[in-house]
């Protein structure tokens, strides 16, 4: 996106942008792309370079960039789109957000720019190239770009909010020390006759005003200078912000007082009053509000700081036969890392020696420690319990699961929800409208107000400027998102896309994939009942010995079940496998046959003795198998994919939330309905092939219903993408997780109703914030203008206006922070 050094001076409005293009292989490709781009209306020239795989395009309007990308795609090539993130300093209100977004959107090649006031970050999708143009646009708009250090998971980023809070506390203390005597001098002389007499006798009227001038000037141009540094340049750019309103209000009060002090002769009789205390108190109260706001903002990002703090700074690594303590940033792939009792695991890996239990609650939200033995995977940031072990590092630095979680949470916290659109529409004109309202207030009081009209006009206009609060509107949505997604992360629920916070609240149906989601995803031996005259252990040994020769998943489950009971298998001879019927063989001289009822009947074995048990198993969705030994019926066997322990409670919770629950499975209709009946599932979509889940979702959507889909496998990825909200179980495959909007870090399906409940609570919190932010301005701006004066004589002092403005933002932040106490009951 770097502009060529020589621009066409005859076309000053020409914009230049670079576009990365993939798939070009020859000069013909270059010509095809140039021809396609040149045909786009508004494009003045296009120059494609095969070596750099870039096109440099001149066009007359930045919006043409999207049309250029579409033209490249139509020509059969892939345009390269990059995403960049900038940390921006100096934004204070929703107007600032709107200004930065407009500045970034005007940069040639930018497709989309989204700015978040709470995280102070801008996310930009653009056609690629140097980000210098983006940074330049931000600086030209009056804000600063912060270049963060290498923020690896092992080294927490600098907490600039804490630093800002410390700086504001010093400025606030200095302002308060100067404002208190100033306030006492002015207000005391007004309301306490003894104080007025003492000032007249000891200081004098003129000297009192000189002293107030000095104190107010020190406050205004000392701690208050921060407002002038931002507000004045924005006024000069005709793009006023919150700081501009403060500057206008305090300057009006201070300037009027200076005239009354040093040039009183130019003012009409009865209007020679000073308002130094108003200017100083306004600055002090707004600094107090900013200080409290900075502290509250710091708390909204507490979840991220907690995640960053999970990883230790050092690791014990085996190098050259010795165990050496090294910084975590020096750990390499393949290193053997030694973990002692009570230590945090530094990076992801696989256990190679030893065993222990590991507390993974900070990642998965599950409180029960997990057993770790040889070949078990361990995750960086989790805490070892009483044992010790050595593991081989398989993922380090930004590739670890913890680093990925942090990136997911940060991305979700930086996103904008559709509900934010109303705020974006309002903030573009809010501050200019307030300035206009202040101007109308001044003129109305000057023309229609009682004597002294000039004093009334000035005081009420200042009150209007000071009380308006676009800050609360700008913070209403992002702070709730930050706290809500952070609280979810603590419970092992990751919102990969912030939009899912709003979409999840609106779902009507939650559809589950059966295998691996509702169930454990692996067949297990669930039933093994023997006929009279046979011993269970002996029959199980004979059956498992024969099944050990088979590769069928059912055979594997039977063998695993036998071994779990400590039974060892024996050698088999004359083994025969009949696909679709069963297996047979000779074990210890005894002929063993295992299969479906038809296999045993073919050998003349009557299975009617187990008819009642077979009917019971069928009702549970389990297909019975039978075993015969030496031609006699010996046992009825059932292998099934067991339901997860958390599944029934999760479905009950979803019903409690008023949602319908659906199940998709490749099983036959009878088995699927049996499982659904057992779990209380409302709708069943059976005999679905892996590629048919998308069509099944479309059928569930009929009638305008919104559907969330929960899955874990590779074949679930298309359905996760197609659903209104895709929820991936974190124990599943990486491709399923990448396709989802929400990720449950553990296999606990209780995370589904928890995520929905948190979504409902977060959107409710956002609506409360937005109502407050808009109602505050709609109600109090007219009051500040004096709307109640004709009714009951009420006027709002600029001092109270400043206090109300500060408290407005604090209310929004405090309300958002309530989500930290959200309980997943």
């Amino acid at each position: 996106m770097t502009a060529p050094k020589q621009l066409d001076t005859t076309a000053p409005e020409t914009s230049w942008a670079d576009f990365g293009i993939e798939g070009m292989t020859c000069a013909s490709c270059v010509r095809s792309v140039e021809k396609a781009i040149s045909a786009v209306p508004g494009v003045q020239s296009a120059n494609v370079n095969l070596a750099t795989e870039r096109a440099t395009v001149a066009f007359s309007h930045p919006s043409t960039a999207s049309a250029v990308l579409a033209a490249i795609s139509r020509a059969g090539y892939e345009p390269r789109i990059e995403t960049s993130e900038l940390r921006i300093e100096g934004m204070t209100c929703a107007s600032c957000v709107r200004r930065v977004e407009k500045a970034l959107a005007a940069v040639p090649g930018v497709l989309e720019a989204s700015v978040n006031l709470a995280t102070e970050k801008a996310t930009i999708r653009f056609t690629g190239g140097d980000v210098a143009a983006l940074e330049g646009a931000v600086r030209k708009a009056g804000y600063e770009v912060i270049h963060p250090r290498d923020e690896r998971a092992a080294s927490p980023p600098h907490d600039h909010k804490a630093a800002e809070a410390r700086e504001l506390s010093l400025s606030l203390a200095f302002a308060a020390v100067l404002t208190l005597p100033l306030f006492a001098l002015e207000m005391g002389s007004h309301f306490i006759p003894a104080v007025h007499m003492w000032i007249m006798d000891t200081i004098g009227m003129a000297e009192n005003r000189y002293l107030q001038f000095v104190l107010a000037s020190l406050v205004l141009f000392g701690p208050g200078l921060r407002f002038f540094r931002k507000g004045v340049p924005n006024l000069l750019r005709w793009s006023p912000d919150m700081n501009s309103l403060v500057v206008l209000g305090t300057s009006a009060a201070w300037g009027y007082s200076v005239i009354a002090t040093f040039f009183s002769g130019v003012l009409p009789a009865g209007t020679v009053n000073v308002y130094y205390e108003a200017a100083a108190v306004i600055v002090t109260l707004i600094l107090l509000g900013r200080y409290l706001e900075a502290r509250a903002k710091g708390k909204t990002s507490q979840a991220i700081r907690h995640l960053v703090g999970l990883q230790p700074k050092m690791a014990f690594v085996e190098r050259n036969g010795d165990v050496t303590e090294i910084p975590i940033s020096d750990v390499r792939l393949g290193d053997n890392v030694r973990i002692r009792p009570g230590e945090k695991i530094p990076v992801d890996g696989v256990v190679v020696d030893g065993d222990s239990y590991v507390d993974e609650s900070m990642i998965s939200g599950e409180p029960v420690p997990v057993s770790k033995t040889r070949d078990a995977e361990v995750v960086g940031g989790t805490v070892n319990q009483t044992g010790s072990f050595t593991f081989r590092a398989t993922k380090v630095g930004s590739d670890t699961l913890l680093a990925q979680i942090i990136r997911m949470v940060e991305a979700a916290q930086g996103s904008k929800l559709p509900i934010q659109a109303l705020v974006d529409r309002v903030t573009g004109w809010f501050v200019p409208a307030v300035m206009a309202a202040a101007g109308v207030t001044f003129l109305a009081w000057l023309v229609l107000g009682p004597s002294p009209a000039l004093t009334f006009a000035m005081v009420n206009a200042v009150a209007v400027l000071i009380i308006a609060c676009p800050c609360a509107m700008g913070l209403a949505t992002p702070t709730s998102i930050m706290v809500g997604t952070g609280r979810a992360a603590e419970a092992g629920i990751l919102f990969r896309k912030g939009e899912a916070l709003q979409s999840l609240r609106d779902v009507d149906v939650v559809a589950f994939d059966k295998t691996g989601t509702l169930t454990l995803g692996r067949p297990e031996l669930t039933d093994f009942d023997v006929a009279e005259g046979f011993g269970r252990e002996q029959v199980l040994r004979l059956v498992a010995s024969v099944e050990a020769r088979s590769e069928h998943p059912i055979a594997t489950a039977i063998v695993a079940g036998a071994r779990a009971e400590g039974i060892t298998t024996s050698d088999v001879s004359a083994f025969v496998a009949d696909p679709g019927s069963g297996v047979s063989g000779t074990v210890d001289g005894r002929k063993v046959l295992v299969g479906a009822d038809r296999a045993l009947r073919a050998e003349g074995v009557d299975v009617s003795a187990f008819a009642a048990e077979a009917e019971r198993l069928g009702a549970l969705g389990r297909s019975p198998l039978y075993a015969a030994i030496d031609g006699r019926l010996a046992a009825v066997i059932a292998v099934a994919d067991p339901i997860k322990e958390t599944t029934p409670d999760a479905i009950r919770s979803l019903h409690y939330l008023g949602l319908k629950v659906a199940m998709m499975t490749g099983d036959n209709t009878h088995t699927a309905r049996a499982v659904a009946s057992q779990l209380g599932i409302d709708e069943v979509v059976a005999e679905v092939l892996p590629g048919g889940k998308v069509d099944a979702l479309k059928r569930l959507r009929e009638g305008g219903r919104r559907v969330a889909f929960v899955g874990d496998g590779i074949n679930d990825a298309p359905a996760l993408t197609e659903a209104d909200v895709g929820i991936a179980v974190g124990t599943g495959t990486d491709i399923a997780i990448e396709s989802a909007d929400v990720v449950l870090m553990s296999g606990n399906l209780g995370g589904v109703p928890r995520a929905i409940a948190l979504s409902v609570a977060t959107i409710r919190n956002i609506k409360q914030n937005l109502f407050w932010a808009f109602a505050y301005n709609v109600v109090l701006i007219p009051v500040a203008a004096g709307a109640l004066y004709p009714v009951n004589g009420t006027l709002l002092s600029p001092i109270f206006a400043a206090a109300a403005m500060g408290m407005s933002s604090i209310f929004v932040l405090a309300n958002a922070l309530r989500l930290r106490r959200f309980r997943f009951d």
Side-chain angles (χ1 to χ4, degrees):
M1 211 166 50
T2 53
K5 292 183 179 178
Q6 294 184 354
L7 299 177
D8 183 0
T9 56
T10 63
E13 295 183 0
T14 297
S15 299
W16 296 83
D18 283 355
F19 295 81
I21 303 171
E22 296 178 356
M24 297 187 299
T25 58
C26 62
S28 297
C29 300
V30 170
R31 181 61 189 146
S32 297
V33 174
E34 284 183 341
K35 188 175 180 181
I37 295 175
S38 298
V40 175
V43 170
Q44 298 170 351
S45 67
N47 181 23
V48 178
N49 188 309
L50 180 61
T52 61
E53 294 185 321
R54 303 195 72 79
T56 301
V57 183
F59 42 80
S60 56
H61 193 277
S63 63
T64 310
S66 298
V68 171
L69 290 175
I72 294 171
S73 297
R74 285 196 301 271
Y77 302 91
E78 188 66 31
R80 205 160 38 234
I81 298 174
E82 298 180 13
T83 301
S84 182
E85 195 172 76
L86 301 178
R87 177 73 64 79
I88 300 174
E89 187 178 52
M91 297 187 299
T92 57
C93 64
S95 297
C96 301
V97 170
R98 184 66 179 154
R99 186 170 302 108
V100 174
E101 285 181 341
K102 286 180 67 176
L104 288 169
V107 176
V110 169
L111 305 174
E112 181 184 2
S114 176
V115 178
N116 188 299
L117 179 61
T119 60
E120 297 182 334
K121 288 181 180 179
T123 303
I124 308 104
R125 291 178 66 248
F126 63 114
T127 58
D130 191 0
V131 297
L134 302 176
E135 295 180 2
V138 172
R139 293 190 177 98
K140 190 175 179 182
Y143 305 90
E144 193 57 48
V145 177
I146 301 174
H147 291 280
R149 303 185 191 95
D150 182 21
E151 293 183 0
R152 293 172 65 120
S155 54
H158 175 64
D159 190 353
H160 70 286
K161 277 297 165 198
E164 181 185 350
R166 285 193 296 271
E167 181 187 349
L168 282 167
S169 68
L170 294 175
S171 297
L172 174 62
F174 182 76
V177 166
L178 297 176
T179 300
L180 283 173
L182 172 58
F183 186 80
L185 285 171
E186 182 62 23
M187 292 294 101
S189 63
H190 276 298
F191 296 107
I192 305 174
V195 173
H196 177 75
M197 294 304 299
W198 177 80
I199 291 173
M200 293 297 100
D201 293 341
T202 57
I203 301 177
M205 176 65 76
E207 289 77 6
N208 176 38
R209 289 184 173 178
Y210 297 151
L211 178 58
Q212 289 189 40
F213 164 74
V214 172
L215 292 173
S217 299
L218 288 172
V219 172
L220 206 59
F221 303 109
L225 193 60
R226 67 180 65 235
F227 304 117
F228 286 82
R229 287 187 179 131
K230 297 291 183 184
V232 172
N234 286 333
L235 276 173
L236 297 177
R237 294 188 193 97
W238 295 97
S239 54
D241 65 350
M242 184 69 222
N243 295 296
S244 304
L245 296 180
V246 175
V247 166
L248 288 174
T250 55
S251 297
W254 181 84
Y256 186 93
S257 302
V258 168
I259 294 172
T261 301
F262 299 101
F263 311 100
S264 57
V266 303
L267 294 174
T271 64
V272 183
N273 302 302
V274 294
Y275 299 94
Y276 290 120
E277 89 290 345
V281 170
I282 287 169
V283 168
T284 303
L285 288 175
I286 293 176
L287 284 173
L288 174 62
R290 293 274 175 94
Y291 167 69
L292 295 174
E293 185 179 314
R295 288 190 59 184
K297 277 185 179 178
K299 291 179 181 178
T300 62
S301 59
Q302 199 169 51
I304 287 288
R305 290 202 304 277
H306 171 70
L307 288 170
V308 171
L310 288 177
Q311 205 163 35
K313 292 181 170 56
M314 307 295 288
F316 289 95
V317 176
E318 295 179 359
R319 295 271 175 89
N320 302 320
D322 296 324
V323 177
T324 308
E325 187 178 21
I326 62 173
I328 191 174
S329 57
D330 292 340
V331 177
R332 299 191 297 263
L333 289 176
D335 277 345
N336 282 345
V337 183
R338 187 170 297 181
I339 301 296
R340 296 176 299 188
E343 287 184 341
K344 287 183 179 179
I345 297 171
V347 295
D348 297 357
V350 176
V351 176
V352 295
D353 183 50
D355 59 83
S356 183
Y357 282 86
V358 174
D359 180 4
E360 296 184 342
S361 59
M362 60 288 298
I363 300 295
S364 66
E366 295 297 314
V368 180
V370 180
S371 173
K372 300 294 179 183
T373 56
R374 186 178 178 86
D375 295 331
E377 293 185 351
V378 291
V379 177
T382 56
V383 181
N384 183 33
Q385 299 293 288
T386 55
S388 62
F389 59 89
T390 301
F391 73 91
R392 184 179 68 257
T394 57
K395 290 182 180 179
V396 299
S398 60
D399 293 329
T400 63
L401 178 62
L402 180 60
Q404 292 177 50
I405 290 173
I406 291 171
R407 286 198 297 273
M408 282 187 196
V409 175
E410 285 182 331
Q413 290 184 343
S415 61
K416 278 193 175 183
L417 303 192
I419 199 171
Q420 178 77 10
L422 175 62
V423 177
D424 291 341
R425 287 197 298 270
V426 170
T427 52
W429 52 261
F430 180 80
V431 173
V434 170
M435 293 173 62
V440 169
T441 299
F442 182 85
L443 292 175
W445 279 94
L446 190 63
V447 174
L448 305 174
S451 181
L454 180 60
T455 299
F456 278 110
M458 193 275 294
V459 170
N460 290 321
V462 169
V464 169
L465 290 169
I466 297 302
I467 204 166
C469 188
C471 306
M473 289 190 290
L475 291 169
T477 300
T479 50
S480 295
I481 294 173
M482 285 183 70
V483 181
T485 53
R487 181 69 185 94
E490 292 172 356
I493 303 166
L494 298 183
F495 285 87
R496 291 188 66 250
K497 300 175 184 176
E499 296 87 345
L501 257 179
Q502 184 167 343
S503 304
L504 198 55
R505 163 187 169 271
D506 298 325
V507 299
D508 304 298
V509 180
V510 179
F512 290 89
D513 174 56
K514 173 180 165 283
T515 304
T517 304
L518 293 174
T519 65
L520 292 175
R522 57 180 184 272
E524 289 185 358
L525 179 63
T526 57
D527 300 86
F528 195 94
D529 296 322
V530 296
E532 188 175 348
F534 288 92
R536 185 180 186 282
E537 183 176 336
Q538 180 191 29
V539 175
L540 182 54
R541 181 181 67 83
L542 295 173
V543 169
S545 297
V546 174
E547 295 287 10
R549 298 287 298 272
S550 173
E551 296 179 353
H552 195 281
I554 289 178
T556 303
I558 293 173
V559 174
R563 288 175 178 165
E565 295 185 23
I567 297 172
T568 57
T569 57
S570 304
D571 293 335
V572 180
S573 61
F575 175 79
V576 177
D578 183 6
S581 293
V583 294
S584 63
T586 302
V587 182
D588 298 338
R590 307 190 70 176
K591 184 174 173 56
V592 180
L593 172 64
V594 184
D597 54 356
R598 61 181 176 274
L600 271 73
R601 289 195 184 101
E603 295 294 325
V605 179
D606 182 13
V607 298
S608 59
F610 282 123
E613 182 65 10
E615 186 176 347
R616 183 187 71 83
L617 293 173
L620 294 174
R622 302 170 188 172
S623 299
L625 298 174
Y626 301 90
I629 297 175
D630 295 331
R632 292 173 55 204
L633 180 66
V636 61
I637 307 163
V639 171
D641 187 2
I643 302 295
K644 288 180 180 177
E645 289 184 7
T646 59
T647 297
D649 285 341
I651 292 173
R652 278 194 294 270
S653 296
L654 290 171
H655 284 148
Y656 178 78
L657 292 172
L659 302 173
K660 294 290 185 182
V661 180
M663 180 182 74
M664 293 186 191
T665 178
D667 292 346
N668 62 63
T669 303
H670 175 73
T671 302
R673 291 198 179 281
V675 173
S677 175
Q678 182 182 349
L679 293 174
I681 289 173
D682 304 296
E683 300 180 43
V684 177
V685 185
E687 300 179 24
V688 178
L689 297 174
K693 292 180 181 178
V694 170
D695 291 332
L697 275 175
K698 290 177 179 177
R699 290 197 299 273
L700 287 173
R701 275 211 192 101
E702 291 175 358
R705 299 192 302 180
R706 298 178 64 83
V707 181
F709 178 76
V710 188
D712 76 323
I714 290 175
N715 58 20
D716 292 329
L720 288 166
T721 303
E722 171 67 23
D724 295 296
V725 182
I727 304 174
V729 179
T731 53
T733 61
D734 289 342
I735 189 169
I737 292 172
E738 287 298 317
S739 303
D741 304 303
V742 184
V743 179
L744 309 180
M745 291 308 296
S746 72
N748 187 343
L749 292 184
V752 177
R754 290 173 185 169
I756 294 172
L758 182 62
S759 169
V760 171
T762 302
I763 298 303
R764 182 170 60 241
N765 191 273
I766 288 173
K767 288 184 174 181
Q768 290 167 352
N769 284 347
L770 288 174
F771 174 80
W772 169 263
F774 282 100
Y776 165 88
N777 286 290
V778 168
V779 172
L780 289 188
I781 288 177
V783 172
L788 295 179
Y789 185 78
V791 179
N792 54 19
T794 298
L795 289 176
L796 192 64
S797 164
I799 292 174
F800 291 115
M805 189 270 282
M807 291 310 298
S808 177
S809 296
I810 302 305
F811 175 89
V812 165
L813 287 161
N815 188 50
L817 287 170
R818 289 192 308 114
L819 288 170
R820 289 171 59 194
R821 300 193 298 273
F822 181 82
R823 296 179 58 126
F824 295 101
D825 292 332

